Amino acid sequence: MPIREDVLVVGGGMAGATAALSAARTGASVRLVSYRKPTFRQASGLVDLLGYVPERTDGDTSGDVEGGTDGSGSDTGGRSSGPVANPYDALSVLPDDHPYSVVGDDAVREAFDLFDEVAGDLYVGSHTDANALLPTHGGTVKPTARYPVSAAAGVASDDRSMLLVGFEGLTDFDAPLAAQHLRAAGVPFDVEGVQVRFPIRFRADAKVTRYARALDRDEEAARRRLVSRLEDHVESSGAERVGFPALLGDEQPATVREDLADRLGVDVFEVPMGPPSLPGMRLEDRLYAALDEAGVRMTTGNPVVDYEGEETDEDAGSVRINAVLVDHKNNRVPYHAEQFVLATGGLVGKGITSSRERVMEPVFDCYVPHSEDRYDWSRADAFGDHPFARFGVVPDGELRPTTADGEAQFENLRAAGGVLGGADFAAEKSGSGVSLATGHVAGRTAGESV
Amino acid sequence: MSDAHDPASTSTPADDEFEPVDVFGEAEEMDLRPGADNCYKCTSCDTSCPVAEVDDDFPGPKFQGPEQWRLKRKEDEGVDDSIMSCSNCMRCDNACPSSVPLSQMHNTARGEYVDEQMDKLSREYIRNRILSNYGLLARLGSKVPRLTNFAMSLGVTKKFNEKVLGITSEREFPAFAEQTFRSWWDERGGAKVESEEKRVAYFHGDYSNFNTPEVAKAMVRVFESFGYEIIVPEQRCSGTPMFANGMLDDARRAAKFNVRTFSDLVDDGYDIICTCTSCSMALRQEYPELFDFEGTAEVAASTYEAVEYLRIYEDLQGAVAESDVEYPDLAYHAPCHARNQGLDRQAVELFRDLDGVEVEDVGESCSGISGTYGWKEEKYDTSMKIGEEMFEHMEHASGSDGMTECPTCAMQMEHGTGYEIHHPMQLLEKALV
């Protein structure tokens, strides 16, 4: 049984990486097994804790937040209520089955401390418990707990006037439209948008990394020429800060940003974008460097498909996992460990899957509560309170997935991140925070249990 | 694994009420539709494509795969000729969050393009045919290795190759060994270890037979030191250069021969070992994706890369940790084809515990040669541009020599830095035997 570690983490996203890091810090030997490239590049790079407390329509409605939201008093439980001002205050009103409630406030703080330590100068937001409000590429305003330093000058609570710049041919960001949306959202500053031609001609559907590389290397004096195209716009709009789609450099983002800011004479920031997201990739690089430094072993490219376990106490029905089986291109190789962490993601990450009959967790077949009638899995209203959004495994107090009877299904398996049920990450804007908090707790307790 | 293996699996009727509708009429030989539908255009594949990174005109894997597949649903739409600029590094497979079988789509599109659209009398076709059938030439050349090596190194030969065939004169042809691995094996009298339980069949491929028999010999000595009985059956090229050049008929013949030989051995209890990660990739992934000879699945499921195999079945980490070695420090490059098998970090992980040598990973970048790709006169510059990052990282690494599992990556590493390049099996041999 040569492939053996103390702790084995399945899944390489935010939850898996955090779990591996926290487990390694207990002194345990750790291996992280992931199938594909991690999903950071699919996400904006904003690290949310809790942006909204949506009302639940299943009778388990959350209560009010005492003065917790953005000046709107007690009217906070409803889906239409405003963003949460202080996410830590709002944690107490979450239902008991919410992952934050399971791990507790202190664990959330510890996890964000860990994140701040690893992210270092790449991120800001740790100076306050309050949420920051960041403009998105669609022109909405998003409450978030930590944001890339490259986005910092764009915060919506700042009243300096703003110019957004889009590039012709880069369809993911329409600057005039985003500016219009921000104005409609009632931001406390003047905002205009302008589309310009990028100084270098790329083919019609060039990728964001192509733009980023041209700015990194200042190909054909791209930075100077870009600035000269913008000077008139900045002057006529009177903007005190200028926002670009998040493609200001791949390897040298700080240099690119500072150079543009110097030349324009105003602050420059990035507006987080959809996939592939450069802020997400920068975060991935930072986290994986930390994992490497912590001595975490990593295997990427093969999926975990099954496990080998044994019954340890027949009466109690408890089962211990000895190994997970990793599909090395059609042969199943056992990876042994003492403790396991499941961090395979939710429905989007395929940590939870469904057929026409049922919803399941495919690796360990953990129990995932759901209605037998699949027409109850969703609501007709696109933005409604969809049950599927909260599908996932049900953790006990130690984050061990439980059976339908509420007993831990395995002695030595913990779950973290999107695979956990009970949170509607998209509506709450809580995905990163839940991954950090549960990843931290699952990894640390797994490491301590060795 | 991908939906494309078995289109039926995604449309199995779950209850009586549901009847799947066949949107496109009669089923085709290779239906990639389920894979194409999985694409949600996140362009992660495009941003991980090393060719698109340096060539602004290359439309990237998303176009070559799902988009081209859709375009081709229209009549009179051929395969776009940019498919020939794909280097078949297969990185897009690993980047896709949605399990779109990108490299499989590229391989089939390339095969179709070469079959139906390429002029069989063109210089490009003839050159590609020659390059992808390197093993046949090597068989002849290696009979008189010294003469061949001399002739291939002549300026006039290089000029002829470039001007007439379109094979770049920038590269030195890899020298043929004075004795092939197979001839050494026969002379040695075959296996020195017999075992009923521990048996491996060695797929050496052409390169370690004709050019780097020292890698193959190292594999033999290391495996025998762990008590394995080795068999070295007759074999042909794995097909990797043929897939990459769209020569699917050639690839099919080679694969058929290999599958027949090796599936018989699998039945007799042998596992299949490769020392080249592109060979293991071909047997494990491309064969079952592209062919369905009897035994293909069994061969795929019994094939391993050599270090991977020992890590699974022996306490290799323990054995390495207990030894020490005198060896130059090494700048290690993980081949693209190792990545998709989950093997990109194993060498660094393993040798971290070995005293006497530092092995440093030079990062994620592609070497750029991709087998025959970097040998083409018109692709040479692209190949070197892709390799630039690796060359730089190698020079920054503390090692004065290099290491990789892939023979053509090794060529490129040597070509770009002048370093001598080793194979993990050679380091293992030095440490353990």
Side-chain angles (χ1 to χ4, degrees):
Chain A
M1 301 184 292
I3 302 183
R4 168 181 283 285
E5 271 81 23
D6 295 334
V7 177
L8 187 137
V9 178
V10 188
M14 182 79 104
T18 309
L21 198 56
S22 288
R25 291 190 171 198
T26 67
S29 67
V30 182
R31 182 180 293 278
L32 182 73
V33 182
S34 55
Y35 183 19
R36 300 295 195 191
K37 271 187 184 296
T39 45
F40 294 94
R41 66 192 60 215
Q42 318 288 326
S44 65
L46 299 177
V47 177
D48 310 329
L49 202 168
L50 186 66
Y52 295 87
V53 182
E55 188 179 353
R56 282 169 63 164
T57 52
D58 57 2
D60 195 8
T61 311
S62 54
D64 288 348
V65 188
E66 284 297 322
T69 64
D70 199 14
S72 53
S74 63
D75 179 27
T76 57
R79 188 161 279 267
S80 58
S81 71
V84 167
N86 185 327
Y88 289 101
D89 290 345
L91 290 178
S92 58
V93 300
L94 294 172
D96 291 344
D97 66 346
H98 194 286
Y100 280 142
S101 307
V102 176
V103 296
D105 301 11
D106 290 346
V108 180
R109 285 190 185 276
E110 276 174 36
F112 273 82
D113 287 346
L114 175 68
F115 175 81
D116 292 335
E117 186 196 318
V118 172
D121 58 1
L122 200 60
Y123 273 75
V124 284
S126 60
H127 59 288
T128 172
D129 279 356
N131 270 330
L133 296 170
L134 269 292
T136 70
H137 65 124
T140 62
V141 173
K142 188 184 185 195
T144 190
R146 300 289 185 273
Y147 43 99
V149 65
S150 66
V155 288
S157 50
D158 182 340
D159 60 7
R160 287 181 299 163
S161 56
M162 183 186 281
L163 177 70
L164 295 176
V165 178
F167 297 120
E168 288 167 16
L170 187 81
T171 52
D172 286 356
F173 187 60
D174 182 331
L177 186 68
Q180 200 183 329
H181 283 180
L182 284 172
R183 284 195 297 272
V187 291
F189 48 83
D190 289 333
V191 50
E192 284 181 38
V194 62
Q195 295 286 104
V196 298
R197 237 168 26 86
F198 194 78
I200 303 174
R201 256 267 191 256
F202 298 134
R203 64 156 214 271
D205 60 341
K207 2 172 224 129
V208 290
T209 43
R210 182 66 191 92
Y211 290 88
R213 192 159 49 91
L215 290 169
D216 265 341
R217 301 181 187 169
D218 204 14
E219 290 173 22
E220 302 173 35
R223 297 183 204 157
R224 179 179 59 72
R225 291 167 58 216
L226 175 58
V227 166
S228 73
R229 276 166 201 218
L230 290 172
E231 275 162 343
D232 289 350
H233 294 290
V234 174
E235 202 178 308
S236 67
S237 69
E240 296 158 278
R241 47 183 173 156
V242 177
F244 294 90
L247 45 70
L248 303 183
D250 183 2
E251 278 150 19
Q252 322 258 10
T255 310
V256 172
R257 210 168 55 246
E258 281 157 24
D259 190 20
L260 293 177
D262 281 352
R263 290 171 189 269
L264 281 168
V266 293
D267 269 352
V268 163
F269 63 93
E270 290 185 319
V271 180
M273 300 276 287
S277 146
L278 280 155
M281 289 186 232
R282 294 175 201 141
L283 175 58
E284 173 186 326
D285 289 347
R286 182 63 65 97
L287 281 173
Y288 273 71
L291 290 171
D292 225 354
E293 207 171 300
V296 172
R297 292 174 172 164
M298 292 176 254
T299 306
T300 303
N302 296 317
V304 174
V305 290
D306 207 347
Y307 68 97
E308 286 170 357
E310 60 180 326
E311 215 162 4
T312 48
D313 182 345
E314 208 175 318
D315 298 333
S318 46
V319 179
R320 195 171 174 80
I321 298 164
N322 293 326
V324 291
L325 299 180
V326 181
D327 184 340
H328 282 217
K329 299 269 172 229
N330 306 312
N331 38 47
R332 296 178 160 209
V333 176
Y335 284 46
H336 298 263
E338 295 286 314
Q339 299 288 331
F340 296 84
V341 177
L342 176 68
T344 42
L347 280 165
V348 176
K350 300 181 176 67
I352 301 292
T353 57
S354 64
S355 66
R356 295 172 73 84
E357 291 83 35
R358 70 180 194 113
V359 183
M360 63 218 122
E361 183 288 296
V363 180
F364 299 98
D365 200 16
C366 296
Y367 165 67
V368 179
H370 59 278
S371 165
E372 269 184 40
D373 182 351
R374 67 189 163 91
Y375 290 97
D376 290 340
W377 296 352
S378 58
R379 304 267 178 262
D381 170 13
F383 295 103
D385 179 36
H386 295 292
F388 73 76
R390 283 193 298 274
F391 282 166
V393 305
V394 184
D396 70 3
E398 275 190 58
L399 290 176
R400 291 181 299 188
T402 57
T403 62
D405 303 329
E407 299 295 324
Q409 189 175 349
F410 303 97
E411 290 173 12
N412 56 343
L413 176 70
R414 289 170 181 78
V419 75
L420 292 167
D424 180 345
F425 305 116
E428 295 172 2
K429 309 294 175 216
S430 63
S432 301
V434 166
S435 289
L436 280 170
T438 56
H440 170 60
V441 171
R444 190 193 56 202
T445 47
E448 285 168 351
S449 309
V450 173
Chain B
M1 220 181 324
S2 72
D3 293 337
H5 293 174
D6 180 13
S9 68
T10 52
S11 58
T12 310
D15 49 45
D16 299 338
E17 301 151 37
F18 178 69
E19 280 178 38
V21 179
D22 189 354
V23 185
F24 294 108
E26 85 262 32
E28 288 178 31
E29 195 185 306
M30 182 99 75
D31 183 9
L32 296 175
R33 166 134 195 265
D37 284 357
N38 282 349
C39 171
Y40 57 81
K41 299 198 176 288
C42 70
T43 65
S44 284
C45 54
D46 287 349
T47 54
S48 70
C49 171
V51 177
E53 174 89 16
V54 301
D55 178 358
D56 283 343
D57 296 326
F58 181 64
K62 177 163 61 74
F63 171 79
Q64 305 300 345
E67 288 174 1
Q68 176 135 269
W69 186 87
R70 285 197 186 89
L71 283 175
K72 276 185 36 63
R73 305 310 304 175
K74 289 165 73 177
E75 275 173 35
D76 302 330
E77 278 298 333
V79 176
D80 191 78
D81 60 8
S82 62
I83 189 69
M84 296 310 286
S85 291
C86 160
S87 73
N88 201 36
C89 73
M90 304 168 96
R91 271 178 186 250
C92 42
D93 282 353
N94 186 281
C96 179
S98 201
S99 297
V100 176
L102 288 150
S103 68
Q104 183 185 12
M105 295 176 125
H106 302 161
N107 271 331
T108 29
R110 195 165 29 232
E112 191 176 316
Y113 176 81
V114 170
D115 254 9
E116 292 172 16
Q117 289 163 251
M118 207 184 221
D119 177 3
K120 304 297 177 292
L121 296 172
S122 67
R123 182 178 91 154
E124 188 184 2
Y125 179 84
I126 294 166
R127 188 263 324 263
N128 289 358
R129 193 92 198 261
I130 292 172
L131 284 176
S132 52
N133 286 283
Y134 154 83
L136 293 179
L137 293 181
R139 207 148 292 176
L140 295 174
S142 64
K143 294 209 191 308
V144 279
R146 263 174 279 197
L147 178 62
T148 315
N149 292 342
F150 173 70
M152 292 310 280
S153 69
L154 288 177
V156 59
T157 314
K158 288 180 160 187
K159 198 156 279 174
F160 173 85
N161 281 337
E162 178 154 299
K163 292 278 176 278
V164 179
L165 290 173
I167 295 173
T168 181
S169 63
E170 300 284 341
R171 295 183 190 276
E172 295 297 324
F173 265 90
F176 289 114
E178 303 219 338
Q179 184 183 31
T180 65
F181 166 68
R182 295 192 69 90
S183 133
W184 173 83
W185 177 256
D186 291 342
E187 208 174 278
R188 179 188 197 244
K192 291 262 199 289
V193 172
E194 284 180 29
S195 170
E196 284 289 313
E197 289 89 39
K198 294 165 86 167
R199 305 170 127 192
V200 294
Y202 183 31
F203 188 91
H204 48 67
D206 284 326
Y207 202 79
S208 60
N209 183 37
F210 296 118
N211 300 88
T212 53
E214 62 276 12
V215 171
K217 291 178 200 169
M219 177 273 165
V220 166
R221 291 178 188 130
V222 170
F223 271 69
E224 288 192 340
S225 78
F226 280 102
Y228 284 89
E229 179 177 319
I230 300 166
I231 189 169
V232 183
E234 281 291 327
Q235 52 193 274
R236 298 204 181 145
C237 168
S238 68
T240 300
M242 299 160 183
F243 305 136
N245 285 288
M247 304 291 169
L248 288 189
D249 289 339
D250 292 345
R252 180 172 286 110
R253 276 190 292 275
K256 192 172 184 179
F257 182 91
N258 291 332
V259 167
R260 196 168 44 212
T261 314
F262 282 89
S263 65
D264 285 347
L265 290 167
V266 170
D267 289 343
D268 294 342
Y270 287 89
D271 286 325
I272 304 159
I273 300 302
C274 304
T275 41
C276 160
T277 41
S278 294
C279 292
S280 60
M281 177 60 99
L283 268 60
R284 293 172 123 174
Q285 179 172 323
E286 283 160 320
Y287 283 14
E289 278 185 353
L290 298 171
F291 311 121
D292 57 358
F293 318 117
E294 201 186 330
T296 307
E298 289 73 18
V299 166
S302 305
T303 300
Y304 300 81
E305 190 276 330
V307 174
E308 175 193 22
Y309 189 81
L310 291 177
R311 292 187 80 204
I312 296 169
Y313 292 106
E314 305 294 333
D315 185 11
L316 190 61
Q317 196 92 38
V320 162
E322 282 169 22
S323 2
D324 56 279
V325 71
E326 252 182 66
Y327 217 79
D329 286 350
L330 299 166
Y332 171 75
H333 163 76
C336 296
H337 288 175
R339 292 179 183 278
N340 285 15
Q341 296 172 72
L343 306 177
D344 54 320
R345 292 181 64 99
Q346 71 170 9
V348 174
E349 236 175 49
L350 177 66
F351 294 124
R352 205 180 269 170
D353 295 341
L354 179 60
D355 282 340
V357 64
E358 280 295 320
V359 177
E360 191 174 336
D361 194 332
V362 297
E364 283 200 5
S365 55
C366 168
S367 78
I369 192 169
S370 284
T372 60
Y373 193 82
W375 282 94
K376 298 172 184 173
E377 182 236 329
E378 76 281 11
K379 299 286 192 299
Y380 175 77
D381 288 342
T382 304
S383 158
M384 291 304 282
K385 254 199 226 168
I386 296 173
E388 217 168 88
E389 192 180 328
M390 182 190 72
F391 302 145
E392 273 171 34
H393 289 183
M394 284 180 72
E395 269 148 24
H396 285 147
S398 61
S400 52
D401 284 24
M403 181 166 76
T404 190
E405 288 89 349
C406 167
T408 60
C409 287
M411 270 180 217
Q412 178 86 333
M413 292 164 82
E414 188 185 348
H415 182 59
T417 62
Y419 287 15
E420 190 182 335
I421 313 298
H422 309 252
H423 188 282
M425 273 296 141
Q426 293 173 284
L427 179 53
L428 269 184
E429 180 191 18
K430 190 92 178 173
L432 302 179
V433 185

